[in-house]
Amino acid sequence: MKKIYLGLLGFGNVGSGVVKILRARQSLLRKKLGCDLVLKKVCDKDLVSKRAVCLSRDILISDANQILNDPQIDIVIELIGGIHPAKEYVMQALNKGKYVVTAHKALLAEHGKEIFDLAKEHGKMIYFEASVGAGIPIIRSLKEGLAADRFSRIFGILNGTSNFVLTSMSERKVNFSQALAQAQKYGFAERKPSLDIQGIDSLHKLIVLVYLCFGKLVNLNDIFVDGIEHISLLDVIYGEELGYQIKLLAIAQKEGHELELRVHPTLIPVEHLLAQVKGINNAIYVSSDLAGDLLFFGPGAGSAAAASGVISDLQNAALDLQAGLFRRKIFPIEDNSIKRLRQIDQTQSRYYIRFMVVDRPGVLAAISGILAKFDISIASVTQKERKRAKVVPIVMIVHEVMEKNLRMALKRIERLDVVKQRPVAIRIEQI
Ligand SMILES: NC(=O)c1ccc[n+]([C@@H]2O[C@H](COP(=O)([O-])OP(=O)(O)OC[C@H]3O[C@@H](n4cnc5c(N)ncnc54)[C@H](OP(=O)(O)O)[C@@H]3O)[C@@H](O)[C@H]2O)c1
């Protein structure tokens, strides 16, 4: 039986999951592929730490060149994370004529153009199923399943850590730091969780999804991003009282000739399916003209889930390789009807706003007067905890407003001497 040789870079969480599956499902994969996937070398910086699976000394190495320069290795699996040297390894593998499988959304978001151009130049494919949603087959679905569809919108919960933290705040009524500490304790957040909680990981994944849906690799500095670290328990509770859950959403939507891209915490109605997505789960909504509205849901992280996505890429790469499809073109086609990105200032949304104010007559009138000047109309208003404190929250929902107007109004309101904290404003998504 034909053998296809694999070289794995990174024997960490996902890498060890891949090794486990290749061993445990060897005969299943052989039957499906009609070939043997042979793991020839595994490279990691750390050859000492105990892993979820054991490897013999002749397979586990510390020099990546032994994989990249080995002419027998057909497919390089990159699972080391970090931009450097992952980028150089991927480029080197492509230059050596190898197929590449990676789960690295940050690398694709930041250097996708160079990498995809090089893959095209060499007539090779790069496979990246696990880069978004771990084992949820969203990449394959966008690339191949929805072959002739035109997309108008893709949005969802793309980061398991943030979703775990927000779920914990809602269910256990703990503050952000307590919820994050719990996520770290359970291994759902890294010791340095900034990429996750600041929305950067969701941003990277959004860029990958936008590339697949609209054929554009957008610069990450051109996308508005806001994380969850400033979300307070008060807003989680008040949001729930009003019938909403807070979720970190990544949103791409096409309107006319404009593409609107943003990542931020969002209030969504409790009855919406996305509000039911809890813990480390991810969910992605896709609106397309032919298939309609689709929802993809499942665990967005974890060794087995991510390794499942990597194995599906290996299957595809092995089949392509056997068929000799060196020029298979499943690169996204650019949607030329999109002429520009919509600036965040120009986006419109309903808003939840919380003001912390001195409990004194006339305060509400002062705030609503400024809102009216900026054409912002109030849908509902509640004054909380009167009698108990001198500084009290006023919670408002406002009708759809242009972001620019809201920011100017809030700046003006913040300057009132009765307003004691910077107002909190969270978008309410119409989904
Ligand atoms: N974990 C998930 O659930 C998940 C899901 C989807 C996608 N991904 C992506 O999958 C990739 C791997 O994630 P992971 O969670 O498996 O990370 P991980 O557990 O940190 O594993 C990475 C491994 O690669 C090693 N490494 C780092 N730099 C290296 C180098 N220059 N040469 C050789 N080995 C090197 C690391 O060693 P040290 O620990 O000594 O640095 C570590 O053992 C990342 O791109 C991540 O974004 C992860």
Side-chain angles (χ1 to χ4, degrees):
M1 187 167 284
K2 182 175 164 53
K3 290 183 185 343
I4 290 184
Y5 289 92
L6 317 175
L8 169 62
L9 303 169
F11 190 34
N13 203 10
V14 185
S16 53
V18 169
V19 175
K20 252 188 182 172
I21 299 176
L22 284 173
R23 280 188 184 167
R25 307 282 157 92
Q26 189 182 23
S27 88
L28 172 80
L29 289 167
R30 183 185 294 139
K31 281 181 199 150
K32 283 179 99 173
L33 303 177
C35 68
D36 262 326
L37 295 179
V38 181
L39 188 59
K40 190 171 179 196
K41 297 276 181 221
V42 175
C43 168
D44 200 283
K45 278 197 300 195
D46 172 5
L47 303 183
V48 182
S49 299
K50 207 167 174 310
R51 311 286 173 160
V53 56
C54 287
L55 281 176
S56 64
R57 277 278 164 223
D58 56 324
I59 290 190
L60 190 57
I61 55 167
S62 60
D63 178 11
N65 287 314
Q66 286 186 42
I67 289 176
L68 299 167
N69 294 330
D70 183 341
Q72 199 181 27
I73 289 179
D74 305 293
I75 305 172
V76 170
I77 310 161
E78 180 286 306
L79 294 172
I80 62 176
I83 298 295
H84 303 289
K87 180 187 169 198
E88 290 70 23
Y89 289 169
V90 165
M91 305 287 273
Q92 205 177 324
L94 289 169
N95 276 324
K96 293 272 175 185
K98 300 181 189 309
Y99 280 37
V100 172
V101 170
T102 180
H104 204 333
K105 54 266 172 178
L107 181 64
L108 297 175
E110 292 182 26
H111 299 281
K113 181 154 176 23
E114 266 174 276
I115 291 169
F116 292 124
D117 282 353
L118 190 65
K120 280 182 200 164
E121 190 186 316
H122 288 286
K124 290 285 178 290
M125 287 296 289
I126 171 153
Y127 306 82
F128 47 96
E129 185 60 69
S131 64
V132 182
I136 303 170
I138 181 70
I139 306 291
R140 181 78 36 83
S141 302
L142 294 174
K143 221 162 104 172
E144 297 172 37
L146 302 166
D149 286 63
R150 290 191 195 284
F151 302 96
S152 52
R153 193 161 70 140
I154 182 160
F155 68 97
I157 297 168
L158 303 183
N159 183 264
T161 302
S162 303
N163 202 50
F164 182 90
V165 169
L166 291 172
T167 306
S168 206
M169 290 173 78
S170 161
E171 289 183 347
R172 296 170 56 236
K173 299 291 177 275
V174 292
N175 65 31
F176 173 79
S177 318
Q178 291 165 311
L180 180 60
Q182 191 201 27
Q184 286 168 321
K185 187 174 146 200
Y186 291 152
F188 296 143
E190 297 184 8
R191 262 184 306 118
K192 290 183 185 162
S194 52
L195 277 185
D196 293 315
I197 60 167
Q198 289 175 359
I200 310 296
D201 177 74
S202 298
L203 172 68
H204 287 148
K205 291 168 179 168
L206 183 68
I207 291 174
V208 173
L209 295 178
V210 165
Y211 173 57
L212 292 167
C213 290
F214 303 104
K216 289 188 185 297
L217 272 163
V218 179
N219 187 320
L220 69 170
N221 297 319
D222 292 339
I223 302 178
F224 175 82
V225 60
D226 182 22
I228 61 162
E229 66 271 47
H230 56 79
I231 295 294
S232 89
L233 179 59
L234 263 190
D235 299 313
V236 171
I237 292 171
Y238 295 157
E240 284 173 6
E241 285 173 13
L242 292 162
Y244 297 100
Q245 283 279 322
I246 302 180
K247 295 288 180 191
L248 180 67
L249 290 194
I251 300 167
Q253 57 192 17
K254 185 182 161 192
E255 268 176 38
H257 294 301
E258 289 189 333
L259 187 61
E260 189 173 313
L261 305 175
R262 47 200 164 91
V263 175
H264 52 72
T266 311
L267 285 167
I268 47 182
V270 280
E271 62 274 10
H272 193 277
L273 279 173
L274 281 189
Q276 311 305 323
V277 176
K278 310 241 162 132
I280 59 146
N281 284 309
N282 283 189
I284 304 154
Y285 256 90
V286 180
S287 296
S288 74
D289 58 347
L290 304 177
D293 290 339
L294 309 172
L295 174 63
F296 297 80
F297 167 82
S303 177
S308 165
V310 172
I311 298 287
S312 96
D313 280 344
L314 287 177
Q315 163 170 301
N316 226 7
L319 291 174
D320 285 353
L321 229 146
Q322 289 189 87
L325 296 176
F326 290 109
R327 301 236 165 247
R328 197 166 85 132
K329 276 193 192 160
I330 312 191
F331 290 99
I333 305 297
E334 186 161 356
D335 181 342
N336 286 322
S337 67
I338 297 171
K339 303 292 180 211
R340 61 196 156 265
L341 295 182
R342 181 172 291 170
Q343 296 302 306
I344 190 70
D345 272 5
Q346 301 301 315
T347 60
Q348 303 230 20
S349 183
R350 292 176 79 217
Y351 269 89
Y352 158 102
I353 310 171
R354 174 169 57 83
F355 302 101
M356 296 302 287
V357 299
V358 176
D359 192 10
R360 185 191 295 165
V363 172
L364 195 52
I367 291 175
S368 41
I370 295 176
L371 291 175
K373 272 195 190 124
F374 287 91
D375 232 5
I376 300 168
S377 83
I378 299 168
S380 74
V381 57
T382 335
Q383 190 156 351
K384 302 277 182 187
E385 296 172 31
R386 297 200 71 172
K387 297 191 186 115
R388 274 202 271 145
K390 287 207 169 120
V391 175
V392 293
I394 291 181
V395 172
M396 276 183 190
I397 303 280
V398 298
H399 289 295
E400 204 149 273
V401 48
M402 179 91 73
E403 168 94 14
K404 191 168 83 181
N405 286 7
L406 184 86
R407 284 196 195 169
M408 287 192 293
L410 292 185
K411 236 183 216 164
R412 188 81 68 88
I413 292 171
E414 197 181 336
R415 288 204 291 267
L416 295 173
D417 63 351
V418 288
V419 174
K420 293 300 171 195
Q421 279 177 27
R422 171 176 280 196
V424 171
I426 306 175
R427 291 170 187 79
I428 300 176
E429 205 56 39
Q430 317 280 44
I431 47 183

